[in-house]
Amino acid sequence: MENNAINETNRVDSNLRNEMLAERFLDQMMNDFNRSKILEEIDKSLKNKDKEAFLRLTEKLKSMP
């Protein structure tokens, strides 16, 4: 009986760990994607000599986690 409870606890802990790792991975992928998009927009603002967009985008980039 005790052994079953321990196995069940280990399985839940393992599932929770996997879920947390998957969530962290997805968060990191989304952050990388968003950072990449902002960098592309910064490049575009430089090419177009759009100072306002450049300043707005660089502030946005600085505030990213």
Side-chain angles (χ1 to χ4, degrees), residues 33-64:
F33 176 79
N34 290 333
R35 181 179 302 276
S36 174
K37 287 297 179 188
I38 291 172
L39 289 170
E40 286 177 15
E41 290 180 41
I42 288 172
D43 287 345
K44 214 181 286 184
S45 72
L46 287 170
K47 183 179 178 183
N48 296 330
K49 298 179 182 173
D50 185 346
K51 184 177 179 178
E52 285 182 27
F54 174 79
L55 293 173
R56 178 178 45 81
L57 292 163
T58 54
E59 284 304 314
K60 190 173 180 179
L61 185 62
K62 286 184 212 175
S63 70
M64 290 185 71

Side-chain angles (χ1 to χ4, degrees), residues 3-22:
N3 199 18
N4 286 342
I6 291 171
N7 286 339
E8 185 63 28
T9 301
N10 287 340
R11 188 176 15 230
V12 169
D13 287 346
S14 177
N15 288 342
L16 184 58
R17 256 193 316 271
N18 289 341
E19 185 177 323
M20 290 171 63
L21 284 172

Side-chain angles (χ1 to χ4, degrees), residues 22-37:
E23 189 172 326
R24 285 177 54 194
F25 174 77
L26 290 173
D27 285 345
Q28 184 62 49
M29 293 303 295
M30 287 302 298
N31 285 340
D32 291 349
F33 176 79
N34 290 333
R35 181 179 302 276
S36 174
K37 287 297 179 188

